[in-house]
């Protein structure tokens, strides 16, 4: 993985050695605020992320999603790029987002994501310190703890 001066990934090679071996090269670009705006890979896939008021509002790639936000602070939030943005990351790549290697997340927590043929509603609970402690999306619940 190559990092820029801010510590964000600019390129990465992902190698899989299970049933067959394959390698994908990823490239990443960021805006002036350090937020991820473009992802491409060696499988000729690419995605763009458009921001407004420091929140990702439009995603382009396999579908064209738009994101709406409430006023909950995005403290401690990271973007689940595959699940929320449709960027074709494997679980291993999602961990890099958790570690902050894909730049800064949106300023607020998302409330809805509308795709070409779907709508997802995000219901957040915060702990006493204002960090997300629970996320419920279409019957899927994730709990978070912070130390």
């Amino acid at each position: 993985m190559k990092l820029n001066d801010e510590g964000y990934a600019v390129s990465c090679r992902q190698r899989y050695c299970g049933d067959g071996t394959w390698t994908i090269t990823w490239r990443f670009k960021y805006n002036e605020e350090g937020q991820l705006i473009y992802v491409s890979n060696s499988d000729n896939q690419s995605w763009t992320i458009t921001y407004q008021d420091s929140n990702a509002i439009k995603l382009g790639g396999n579908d064209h999603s738009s994101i709406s936000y409430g006023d909950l602070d995005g403290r401690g939030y990271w973007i689940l790029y595959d699940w929320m943005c449709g960027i074709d990351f494997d679980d291993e790549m999602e961990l890099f987002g958790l570690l902050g290697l894909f730049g800064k997340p949106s300023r607020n927590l998302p409330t809805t994501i509308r795709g070409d043929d779907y709508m997802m509603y995000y219901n957040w609970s915060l702990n006493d310190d204002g960090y997300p402690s629970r996320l419920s999306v279409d019957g899927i619940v994730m709990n978070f703890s912070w130390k």
Side-chain angles (χ1 to χ4, degrees), residues 78 80 83 120-125 132-145:
W78 72 97
L80 300 168
W83 194 50
M120 297 174 74
Y121 297 92
Y122 291 74
N123 296 301
W124 298 91
S125 297
S133 58
R134 184 171 198 246
L135 169 61
S136 174
V137 182
D138 294 336
I140 299 170
V141 175
M142 289 185 260
N143 292 299
F144 310 101
S145 62

Side-chain angles (χ1 to χ4, degrees), residues 47-60:
W47 298 265
T48 57
I49 304 172
T50 304
Y51 292 82
Q52 181 179 0
D53 298 325
S54 297
N55 286 320
I57 58 163
K58 193 152 196 64
L59 310 169

Side-chain angles (χ1 to χ4, degrees), residues 46-50 58-65 85 87:
S46 64
W47 298 265
T48 57
I49 304 172
T50 304
K58 193 152 196 64
L59 310 169
N62 295 337
D63 70 8
H64 297 87
S65 301
C85 300
I87 297 174

Side-chain angles (χ1 to χ4, degrees), residues 18-140:
D19 297 334
T21 300
W22 51 262
T23 302
I24 295 178
T25 301
W26 296 87
R27 303 226 182 281
F28 311 95
K29 294 181 183 176
Y30 303 88
N31 64 15
E32 307 79 39
E33 293 184 44
Q35 294 171 311
L36 185 64
I37 58 171
Y38 182 78
V39 178
S40 65
N41 66 27
S42 55
D43 281 347
N44 294 318
Q45 296 175 304
S46 64
W47 298 265
T48 57
I49 304 172
T50 304
Y51 292 82
Q52 181 179 0
D53 298 325
S54 297
N55 286 320
I57 58 163
K58 193 152 196 64
L59 310 169
N62 295 337
D63 70 8
H64 297 87
S65 301
S66 62
I67 306 174
S68 300
Y69 294 84
D71 57 359
L72 291 178
D73 181 19
R75 175 187 325 188
Y77 169 64
W78 72 97
I79 296 175
L80 300 168
Y81 291 95
D82 190 356
W83 194 50
M84 295 174 77
C85 300
I87 297 174
D88 194 16
F89 286 159
D90 290 326
D91 292 343
E92 298 83 12
M93 295 289 287
E94 286 285 358
L95 292 175
F96 295 141
L98 176 61
L99 295 171
L101 295 173
F102 295 143
K104 296 179 182 177
S106 291
R107 182 172 50 92
N108 298 102
L109 296 174
T111 55
T112 58
I113 295 182
R114 180 186 306 268
D116 290 339
D117 57 0
Y118 64 91
M119 181 89 150
M120 297 174 74
Y121 297 92
Y122 291 74
N123 296 301
W124 298 91
S125 297
L126 305 180
N127 67 17
D128 292 338
D129 296 321
Y131 287 92
S133 58
R134 184 171 198 246
L135 169 61
S136 174
V137 182
D138 294 336
I140 299 170

